[in-house]
Amino acid sequence: MSPSWNDVRADFPILHQQVNGKPLVYLDNGATAQKPKAVIDALVRYYERDNSNVHRGLHALSMRATDAYEGARSRLARFIHAADPAEVIFTRGTTESINLVARSLGAKLKAGDVILATEMEHHSNLVPWQQAAKASGATLRFVPVVGANAEGGLDLAALDQLLTPQVKVFAFTHISNTLGTINPVAELCRRARAVGALSVVDAAQSVGHTPLDVQALGCDYLAFSGHKMCGPTGIGVLYGRRALLDQLAPDETGGGMVASVDFDGARWKPAPERFEAGTPNVADAIGLGVACDYLDALGRDAIKRHDHALARRAYAELATLPGIRLLGPTGERGGLVSFAFEHVHAHDVVTFADEDGVALRGGHHCNQPLMRKLGLTSTTRASFYLYNTPEEIDVLIASLRRTLKFFQA
Ligand SMILES: *Cc1c(COP(=O)(O)O)cnc(C)c1O
């Protein structure tokens, strides 16, 4: 049973507007997703009825806010099938989650240790590891991507040489935000564990788009952002296995994360509180819990089929355009397509598309080293989500044809 995708569109107020006199066609979901009314209403309801600080209050509003905040944590744990809600740490998003784990794990690294990443990482899963390597003296290495357009994905044969016992951390993305590649997360986590390395998975592009089970994947840490899965901005999650979190030093200290404090020192609470110093983002955590309800009511299997079908269709139609170079896998891919024209710059493509009401993204997509390796400075990306339709792909293709004609390309 598939949901009615047109009813889905009705749930998103922002979609029903014109841009430059044309109906909005929002194809920039890889950067951020739109919010259903249920999420927007939950935020308003919280501020109108329940707003209060959490954990330290004994009055009615504080208890209500605490229950709702901790309820959201449990909801997120169920969403990713964590064994325990204490394994869910609320952060500002993927970037903050990875910084937290990179700084905290980095403090335990030393010269001779290796941090392994891949050539397809977003800057947010790259620069924090560069910093951790610099601070600790550890070496940062990369699993290469294969193929002129990275169509071959990660070089899993090279992984045998790269995954040595010196590797302490293996950080990689689940779905590439530039290529659409879906990495074999369970296999990568298993191979990391076999050499005693901790796995850190960047799930920013996957968690709202596909069923995801941290226990089945066997990952040690996993990071994602609320705003890419129909939740609010400013909220995200770091998942970590309980046994690991209780040994991990906090990155930030202050109120709310301490068990007891003296003038000369303090003791930390267990996870998750030890990683949530200060007043947390209560409202947006609650909103994110509602986003989980929304996505699960539709079913992430159905969302995945829908996104993937749109990406397949877009890929096939884009391939008919003259002078186009399509990046990433030719077969199964996540719900996005990245491409470059021989004679038209991505910024011109995006500007022309905007005149037609179509929202695309052009640039390096926070993947500069990969772009350089592929001999590109930028690409144009169309990224899909549950409210997009096949008709919107027709609008995209017509817009691109108009652009190519203008540039006589
Ligand atoms: C968007 C994205 C990030 C960063 O997410 P923020 O919400 O900006 O912190 C990291 N990795 C990937 C793969 C992304 O797509």
Side-chain angles (χ1 to χ4, degrees):
M1 258 278 294
S2 268
S4 159
W5 298 111
N6 275 322
D7 290 351
V8 167
R9 283 185 73 77
D11 293 336
F12 291 81
I14 203 170
L15 297 177
H16 309 283
Q17 64 175 297
Q18 304 228 316
V19 167
N20 294 320
K22 307 281 170 54
L24 169 65
V25 173
Y26 185 78
L27 300 180
D28 195 17
N29 296 285
T32 200
Q34 301 304 346
K35 323 303 174 200
K37 187 103 181 9
V39 169
I40 299 166
D41 288 349
L43 297 178
V44 172
R45 205 164 49 237
Y46 172 75
Y47 283 122
E48 286 186 349
R49 286 199 333 219
D50 302 328
N51 177 54
S52 181
N53 211 327
V54 292
H55 295 153
R56 292 176 285 275
L58 290 175
H59 60 82
L61 260 53
S62 178
M63 286 187 275
R64 241 190 268 156
T66 303
D67 284 350
Y69 180 66
E70 291 306 322
R73 193 189 307 282
S74 300
R75 184 65 189 89
L76 266 297
R78 262 194 293 134
F79 194 70
I80 59 172
H81 200 234
D84 183 341
E87 297 181 321
V88 170
I89 300 160
F90 282 121
T91 64
R92 280 198 298 121
T94 310
T95 304
E96 188 176 73
S97 295
I98 294 171
N99 272 281
L100 192 173
V101 72
R103 276 199 296 262
S104 299
L105 287 180
K108 298 183 178 180
L109 297 177
K110 55 184 187 326
D113 289 342
V114 173
I115 301 167
L116 187 61
T118 85
E119 285 182 345
M120 64 169 77
E121 296 316 310
H122 187 283
H123 293 165
S124 287
N125 198 27
L126 168 59
V127 183
W129 298 113
Q130 292 174 343
Q131 295 299 100
K134 279 192 191 122
S136 64
T139 306
L140 183 56
R141 295 216 172 97
F142 299 94
V143 183
V145 295
V146 279
N149 293 319
E151 65 273 22
L154 291 180
D155 185 351
L156 294 180
L159 196 57
D160 280 331
Q161 276 101 60
L162 286 165
L163 261 183
T164 61
Q166 284 72 45
V167 178
K168 300 301 174 216
V169 181
F170 183 20
F172 56 90
T173 191
H174 185 175
I175 298 181
S176 160
N177 63 302
T178 303
L179 304 169
T181 314
I182 305 169
N183 286 321
V185 176
E187 180 190 346
L188 298 179
C189 292
R190 185 170 45 72
R191 288 173 71 174
R193 188 161 300 173
V195 297
L198 295 170
S199 52
V200 179
V201 180
D202 177 348
Q205 292 292 337
S206 63
V207 69
H209 291 260
T210 179
L212 189 150
D213 178 332
V214 287
Q215 296 183 72
L217 292 176
C219 55
D220 294 308
Y221 294 97
L222 181 131
F224 58 95
S225 301
H227 70 95
K228 291 185 181 180
M229 51 173 281
C230 298
T233 50
I235 190 78
V237 166
L238 175 66
Y239 159 83
R241 282 198 298 119
R242 183 81 198 254
L244 298 171
L245 289 181
D246 283 339
Q247 295 160 27
L248 199 65
D251 179 44
E252 284 190 332
T253 55
M257 54 78 69
V258 280
S260 69
V261 185
D262 278 311
F263 280 117
D264 54 3
R267 287 190 310 109
W268 317 138
K269 281 186 183 162
E273 281 86 2
R274 83 159 58 183
F275 300 104
E276 295 182 2
T279 300
N281 186 350
V282 181
D284 293 320
I286 294 167
L288 182 53
V290 174
C292 294
D293 291 340
Y294 184 83
L295 295 176
D296 277 349
L298 294 169
R300 269 179 288 169
D301 262 319
I303 293 170
K304 175 181 170 182
R305 282 196 303 276
H306 177 81
D307 290 0
H308 287 200
L310 289 175
R312 261 198 314 278
R313 183 181 174 126
Y315 188 94
E317 300 216 359
L318 286 164
T320 66
L321 299 178
I324 197 168
R325 182 171 164 192
L326 287 153
L327 300 195
T330 50
E332 182 73 355
R333 59 166 52 234
L336 62 92
V337 186
S338 222
F339 52 93
F341 290 112
E342 217 172 327
H343 299 298
V344 190
H345 193 276
H347 289 160
D348 291 324
V349 175
V350 172
T351 304
F352 271 62
D354 184 55
E355 288 175 2
D356 295 329
V358 181
L360 298 174
R361 187 148 295 252
H364 54 61
H365 313 293
C366 294
N367 269 144
Q368 271 180 341
L370 175 67
M371 290 280 145
R372 243 174 251 128
K373 169 164 172 155
L374 299 177
L376 292 161
T377 52
S378 61
T379 71
T380 305
R381 181 183 69 190
S383 49
F384 307 101
Y385 210 4
L386 64 176
Y387 37 68
N388 291 125
T389 66
E391 292 72 34
E392 290 181 315
I393 294 175
D394 297 342
V395 177
L396 165 68
I397 299 293
S399 172
L400 295 174
R401 285 197 189 281
R402 182 176 78 84
T403 307
L404 288 172
K405 199 159 162 214
F406 180 89
F407 287 94
Q408 309 272 309

